[in-house]
Amino acid sequence: FAKEMKDMMRDRRTMISMIVIPALAIPLLIFVMTSFTASKINQAHEADKTIAITGIEPGSAIYRAIEETGVAIVLNDTLQSTPEIMVLDKKLDLSVVFTPDFEAGITDFLENDREAPPEVVLQYNESRLLSETTMRLVKKTLLEQREIRLEGFLTTRGLRADIMHPFNVWQTNVMPPEQQAGSELGRIIAYIVMILMLLVTKR
């Protein structure tokens, strides 16, 4: 063991691959990748977002709610192609398509005069972070509007708005802090081992 340790300490390449690279390069690489990803996400949130809306009038409550998110809504009359194609060509970040008679469909569904609720289709480009971010922003707004419509319907009929949530579900992490640190470390050990295997040189 002493002989092997002595030979290893004399081999500069082995020391670099076993100590220097794992101690410096791998944490630096993880930091750079994390910072780069966070920077791209922040840029996507702060960037101007352009969408097209089909199927509802500009004066409707849902249209105004989407507009209040800060996105730029392009009129369909000014589009050079279909919204779906323009999203694919990266000329639009999102296309929001409402089914015909959307507002009337909501009323009919709540009044039990329609079997299925009206639909909204969000057409986005998954290869673009900005497009996906825009989709999530608009989807969140639509879900909030859905809750508002439901609460209004229940209130007008003398029902409590929270009747749709008869119980709450909570989650709590029972793992101690030291085990959490070990879990986080365990996630990157496999990558470190793989890199070290690639760095091993035959003598």
Side-chain angles (χ1 to χ4, degrees), residues 22-85:
L24 299 178
I26 294 178
L28 179 62
L29 179 62
I30 295 175
F31 173 78
V32 171
M33 293 178 60
T34 303
S35 300
F36 177 79
T37 302
S39 175
K40 288 297 182 181
I41 293 175
N42 290 334
Q43 290 179 11
H45 282 289
E46 297 174 359
D48 295 333
K49 304 171 180 62
T50 306
I51 72 172
I53 298 179
T54 306
I56 59 173
E57 297 297 328
S60 65
I62 292 182
Y63 190 101
R64 292 197 305 270
I66 296 176
E67 197 172 25
E68 289 173 358
T69 62
V71 299
I73 303 176
V74 179
L75 299 178
N76 292 330
D77 297 339
T78 63
L79 298 180
Q80 301 174 353
S81 182
T82 62
E84 181 179 359
I85 295 299

